[in-house]
Amino acid sequence: MRQLLDQRVKYIFFGGKGGVGKTVVAAATALYLAESAGERTLLASFNPVHSLSSVFGQDLSGGVVKEVRGVRNLWAVEVQYDDIVEKYKARISNLLREMLKMAELSVDIKPLIDIATTNPAFHEAASFDKMMDVVLKEGSKFDRVIFDMAAVANAVRLIGLSKLYGAWLQRTIKMRMETLSLKEQLSFRKEKVREEIERDPVLAELKDLYSRYMEVRKVLTDPAQTRFVFVTIPTVLSISVVQRFIEMVKAYEIPFGGVVVNMVIPGEEAARDATGFLRSKYEEQQRNLEVIRQSFSPHILASVRLFPEDIVGLERLRQFVAELVR
């Protein structure tokens, strides 16, 4: 893990199957960078089920960047999905309204807005828009930005939008320009229409969006700036999730950063177990750890033992850091 962090990669995404400790690993990484490396660090949670407040034992909710008490150089934000969706919905509504106004169509806009904002990809598009804000606006204020992502399928689809978003925007801009060109050709007052086209708010917003997309796309696909790290535990299901999604991350051209293995039962603890239960789980983990070694070496960044208690509060998080970054 230290080798990855020493490379000074600015944006690190943590994903994996639910329940493997993504939030704790992301929080511990951010804590190490802020406290031990002395770097201004932002920890951003894009997990709909936020846990940062619980891990740090303080209120980090509200969707705004807050300083983490008790740690120098560390800030955190739990992105509020309801706020994102409402703002994105208002933006899409304005775009539709302007498009219908240009076409001089008098129709009830609400059904169109409902169709546009209730499709399955709308929430991810809205979240990607917020991610662009974090990278472009907040990124310039910090040395490092650590992302705690949702379950890996949603996380990979979300950052995968960086590849699909551009194609959609290019097509939409082209359609808009063709529509405006047709209006100019059919108009008797071409000069006036030309002026209207130059001030067209829809085209201006689409071009602004595309410009922001190009900046973020450049960041997300640059191995010197971005890595996606998977967190797993020694179970068959969580290992298979990582095996499957590593290829998807690469297909989206997001640099793969490695694998953190969490919740590994220490051999000495298993040996002391009088019931045999822990010993049985330990032996099962050892078989699965061999699968992990065969599947992910040499990309295993760290192996962290299973702690007897939940990692809650700064002191326990510091104990976790000592295991994670050696």
Side-chain angles (χ1 to χ4, degrees), residues 128-136 165 209 212-213 216:
F128 185 74
D129 201 59
K130 179 63 180 177
M131 185 181 291
M132 290 200 295
D133 276 349
V134 171
V135 172
L136 297 178
Y165 212 47
L209 206 54
R212 295 173 65 223
Y213 152 78
V216 172

Side-chain angles (χ1 to χ4, degrees), residues 39-78:
E39 299 179 3
R40 285 175 58 85
T41 304
L42 174 64
L43 176 57
S45 170
F46 276 79
N47 191 336
V49 185
H50 296 299
S51 301
L52 291 186
S53 293
S54 300
V55 169
F56 284 97
Q58 51 189 280
D59 181 16
L60 298 170
S61 63
V64 296
V65 175
K66 293 183 177 180
E67 189 166 8
V68 178
R69 294 193 310 275
V71 185
R72 292 185 62 187
N73 302 316
L74 182 58
W75 287 259
V77 56
E78 290 185 339

